[in-house]
Amino acid sequence: MHGWKGKILRVDLNTRSMNEEKLNPDIAKDTIGGRGLGIYYMNKELDPLCKPLSPENMMIMAAGPLTGTGAPTGARYMVMTKSPLTGAVTCSNSGGYFPTELKKAGYDAIIVTGKADKPVYLWINHGQFELRDAGHLWGKTTHETTDLLTAETDTKARVACIGPAGENLVRFAAIMNDKDRAAGRSGVGAVMGSKNLKAIVVRGKEKIALADPDKFKAFNHDILKAFKESIKEAPLGLTVNGTAGVVLTTNLLGVLPTKNWQQGTFDNWENIHGETLTKKYLVSNKACYACPIGCGRKTKVEEPGFQGEGEGPEYETIYAMGSNCMIDNLAAIAKANFLCNEFGLDTITMGATVACAMELFEKGFLSEKEVGQPLNWGDGDALVELTRQTALCKGFGERLAQGSFRLADSVGHPELAMVSKKQEFPGYDPRGAQAMGLAYATSPIGGSHMRGDPAYFELFGIPQPMDPLVWKGKAKPTKSFQDLSAIIDAAGLCIFFAVRNLADKSLEVKPTGILAYLNAATGADYTLEELMAAGERIINAERQFLVKAGFARKDDTLPSRLTKEPTPTGPAKGSVCHLEEMLDEYYQVRGWSQDGIPSEKKLTELELGGKASQ
């Protein structure tokens, strides 16, 4: 095979048995890889009603056919399992260098089942594989674990591991690779911890064969040239200030979530803006494999009480731990971010859960005795301390480790958790960006912007601008961006590059640029229609899993704060998100029932087969 390696490694931790199996070329083409391959195996082999932290759950790490090929930003992989935070499917995505090393080691995916009787790690070395004891690693941070494992295996090996948060089954624990790259969302690290699997270490030297190397090289040359020109036109873009530069735009448009989403503007936004991060703490840019953007931030903080260094914080971290908590101390935000990377925590859910706790405390629903200290808006010291407690499940951190929904529900006020399907939102208030609300509610993993991001057209005008305050007509472009996201995730690309290099500029986005790359790499001869159908197939396959797990329209929701309480500040002042009106149109566009169930006609059209009945 070309692009694909053609092999999957299966690991049964119950029996400690491992074996390789061939990847069926037809399945590879239909699913593309990555996210598509993951949901294919979940629907085929996993009981949607299983308990997420039980040995019966499975965990799939899958790269795409463009991962490691040298395609710009072709450095991604997906972690898929049933989420302990939401009970839904996960599609946790990460970059760095680990995904490429996995491909070079000879595998498109690793499928892990069962539970080891004691802590272990998986060592994959040039096509050879073994499970090794990890007792000496249990309790270590992700940075310590990575250093120890490269020392005892190969100094050039790449490591994906969990920290204490995953070991302690924090519902939003992350899997960290290359120390600071996170498969962050939905608790994939807790699933890995529940299996007593501390780490996966890979070393590979195989080349990734391309179907048409000359054509592939020509595409790279042309797109990289165009990208360099666009950088000149946007000097304050991702390369200069990273994703943290988005703070300026979201605050200006009134969609920067502030004070647990009570408003969309933050008075002290300049203190947490990307330019401030660059001036005060940036050491250097950090890029993933084959990435011309380099949006990662290698940073160092020396302020007393907040000393630390590592990568980040990204925009989503800055919103969640900054404006959302009314914290304008960037040193405190960076320190909490470093702790999340080292302990293995999702920064979005961590920050949003602290913000929820702050509102619960302010309104008297949590006492100082319960929290162990006062918990007031703007308290950066409390943020840092509670992040540590959460990872270790100590003190009030044991309750925070359940996420904001379960915390708020435990005191009788679930409406104060800013979640969909129990997962906290990224940093775009849908009262000022209507399609974002639709995307949050219908995301298969719960609150997410990476499973389809209408902010591109609503806030950034890519590929064409649409009025963010208008809700009518948003269903079709939202559906298109969700399908595109599935293609990007399955191919192994990063959304930052892929969306900006669409050859088709209509709002019914057509991934002609990705099509050319995939065909040059794989020789699969996708037509544009086949590729677009593959993206739609992935979304519907995930919906099949959700429906069988008990999800329906009742779960495609937003908190009443966003649908009934008009935002009080900024350009969106007086607006609410019109979710219910958009849902009706969305289901119709998708070919789903008005209860959100894919029709037999749609499933047959996409060759998924069977009914998506509960």
Side-chain angles (χ1 to χ4, degrees):
M1 299 177 75
H2 297 96
W4 299 286
K5 296 303 296 183
K7 287 192 298 184
I8 292 171
L9 178 62
R10 285 189 177 268
V11 180
D12 184 342
L13 293 172
N14 285 334
T15 61
R16 294 203 175 203
S17 61
M18 293 174 283
N19 65 280
E20 294 178 348
E21 69 177 44
K22 291 184 178 180
L23 174 60
N24 184 310
D26 292 333
I27 293 172
K29 183 175 181 179
D30 287 347
T31 65
I32 305 175
R35 180 175 164 189
L37 195 61
I39 191 60
Y40 169 81
Y41 281 105
M42 287 182 68
N43 274 330
K44 183 181 179 182
E45 301 178 10
L46 181 62
D47 180 1
L49 297 176
C50 77
K51 294 181 178 179
L53 296 178
S54 71
E56 288 69 40
N57 198 4
M58 67 194 305
M59 185 184 79
I60 303 167
M61 290 183 168
L66 294 180
T67 303
T69 60
T73 73
R76 313 298 293 189
Y77 84 120
M78 306 298 296
V79 181
M80 299 190 68
T81 183
K82 185 175 179 180
S83 166
L85 182 68
T86 67
V89 68
T90 67
C91 311
S92 198
N93 183 286
S94 185
Y97 284 77
F98 174 85
T100 294
E101 202 72 18
L102 176 62
K103 286 281 291 290
K104 290 183 176 180
Y107 301 105
D108 295 297
I110 302 171
I111 299 176
V112 180
T113 56
K115 177 181 179 179
D117 57 356
K118 61 182 180 178
V120 296
Y121 73 90
L122 174 62
W123 168 223
I124 303 172
N125 183 24
H126 304 306
Q128 303 297 311
F129 40 84
E130 62 177 307
L131 288 169
R132 292 183 174 183
D133 179 74
H136 62 301
L137 302 170
W138 212 249
K140 302 292 186 185
T141 69
T142 61
H143 288 195
E144 292 168 334
T145 299
T146 299
D147 288 340
L148 287 167
L149 285 175
T150 53
E152 54 181 81
T153 56
D154 187 313
T155 56
K156 294 183 178 180
R158 298 291 175 173
V159 179
C161 64
I162 58 171
E167 298 169 2
N168 292 322
L169 307 184
V170 175
R171 287 185 187 271
F172 50 94
I175 296 174
M176 306 298 300
N177 60 269
D178 304 298
K179 290 188 174 179
D180 293 305
R181 296 285 90 200
R185 308 234 62 195
S186 309
V188 292
V191 173
M192 194 162 163
S194 74
K195 296 184 175 302
N196 276 333
L197 181 60
K198 177 67 174 179
I200 296 176
V201 189
V202 293
R203 182 75 178 105
K205 59 183 178 182
E206 292 183 12
K207 292 184 178 180
I208 300 171
L210 301 175
D212 192 333
D214 292 337
K215 185 176 289 186
F216 191 90
K217 185 177 180 180
F219 288 143
N220 264 2
H221 177 270
D222 291 344
I223 287 185
L224 287 173
K225 181 180 179 181
F227 177 80
K228 290 177 182 178
E229 290 300 318
S230 70
I231 285 292
K232 295 176 183 177
E233 298 168 6
L236 296 180
L238 292 170
T239 300
V240 177
N241 289 318
T243 61
V246 174
V247 170
L248 170 66
T249 302
T250 53
N251 191 73
L252 183 66
L253 295 176
V255 297
L256 176 62
T258 300
K259 204 175 183 182
N260 197 32
W261 294 71
Q262 292 183 50
Q263 60 196 54
T265 57
F266 183 44
D267 289 343
N268 298 332
W269 68 270
E270 290 179 280
N271 293 340
I272 60 174
H273 179 37
E275 287 190 38
T276 305
L277 181 69
T278 298
K279 290 175 182 176
K280 296 182 71 172
Y281 305 123
L282 182 68
V283 176
S284 64
N285 287 28
K286 190 73 178 289
C288 298
Y289 177 83
C291 179
I293 301 173
C295 70
R297 311 282 90 184
K298 185 177 180 181
T299 51
K300 185 175 182 179
V301 176
E302 297 180 337
E303 274 92 327
F306 303 118
Q307 297 97 329
E309 57 185 308
E311 285 190 47
E314 304 285 346
Y315 167 72
E316 302 299 346
T317 306
I318 288 174
Y319 124 73
M321 296 181 168
S323 61
N324 206 33
C325 296
M326 300 292 284
I327 294 172
D328 65 354
N329 184 340
L330 193 52
I333 296 168
K335 178 62 176 181
N337 168 79
F338 296 150
L339 290 175
C340 283
N341 289 349
E342 293 164 19
F343 285 121
L345 286 167
D346 171 22
T347 60
I348 296 177
T349 292
M350 184 71 250
T353 302
V354 170
C356 178
M358 286 177 168
E359 183 169 0
L360 292 170
F361 182 83
E362 178 188 48
K363 292 182 173 177
F365 303 136
L366 284 174
S367 67
E368 186 172 333
K369 181 179 179 181
E370 288 177 284
V371 178
Q373 63 182 85
L375 187 56
N376 300 313
W377 296 111
D379 191 338
D381 292 292
L383 169 70
V384 172
E385 174 58 25
L386 291 176
T387 298
R388 192 186 310 275
Q389 288 184 21
T390 300
L392 301 176
C393 287
K394 301 292 186 182
F396 186 57
E398 188 171 8
R399 293 178 70 181
L400 294 174
Q402 301 299 309
S404 63
F405 177 83
R406 290 174 177 84
L407 173 67
D409 190 51
S410 72
V411 296
H413 290 278
E415 75 279 0
L416 297 184
M418 297 299 106
V419 299
S420 178
K421 300 181 180 72
K422 299 186 178 70
Q423 178 159 278
E424 292 72 11
F425 300 126
Y428 309 90
D429 190 328
R431 291 174 292 187
Q434 296 288 320
M436 287 303 301
L438 180 61
Y440 290 162
T442 58
S443 161
I445 70 171
S448 173
H449 63 307
M450 296 305 293
R451 306 286 76 83
D453 192 352
Y456 274 97
F457 61 80
E458 285 194 309
L459 304 180
F460 306 116
I462 300 170
Q464 286 186 19
M466 288 188 78
D467 188 336
L469 297 179
V470 173
W471 62 267
K472 291 182 179 179
K474 291 293 177 69
K476 191 172 183 179
T478 299
K479 183 246 186 207
S480 289
F481 264 74
Q482 288 176 329
D483 292 352
L484 174 66
S485 173
I487 294 168
I488 291 169
D489 290 341
L493 293 172
C494 171
I495 196 168
F496 287 154
F497 194 89
V499 169
R500 291 176 180 271
N501 287 280
L502 294 168
D504 188 283
K505 299 299 182 182
S506 69
L507 283 168
E508 185 179 2
V509 288
K510 297 178 180 178
T512 49
I514 301 172
L515 173 70
Y517 263 119
L518 277 173
N519 282 338
T522 67
D525 293 327
Y526 286 103
T527 64
L528 181 59
E529 292 71 25
E530 286 175 332
L531 184 58
M532 294 175 72
E536 189 176 11
R537 183 179 299 115
I538 292 167
I539 298 291
N540 279 269
E542 290 168 346
R543 193 71 179 191
Q544 278 184 303
F545 186 91
L546 288 179
V547 170
K548 292 175 182 176
F551 289 77
R553 182 174 184 140
K554 62 181 173 55
D555 303 290
D556 292 345
T557 60
L558 298 175
S560 60
R561 172 163 290 168
L562 304 182
T563 59
K564 295 181 180 179
E565 299 177 21
T567 187
T569 61
K573 183 177 179 178
S575 176
V576 297
C577 183
H578 294 265
L579 174 63
E580 286 302 313
E581 297 93 328
M582 290 188 287
L583 267 182
D584 288 334
E585 183 184 357
Y586 176 84
Y587 291 149
Q588 184 177 13
V589 169
R590 276 265 175 232
W592 297 354
S593 74
Q594 285 303 294
D595 199 33
I597 312 297
S599 66
E600 288 187 57
K601 179 181 178 182
K602 175 57 65 174
L603 295 178
T604 300
E605 173 190 322
L606 295 171
E607 299 180 345
L608 286 170
K611 295 182 180 180
S613 56
Q614 293 175 311

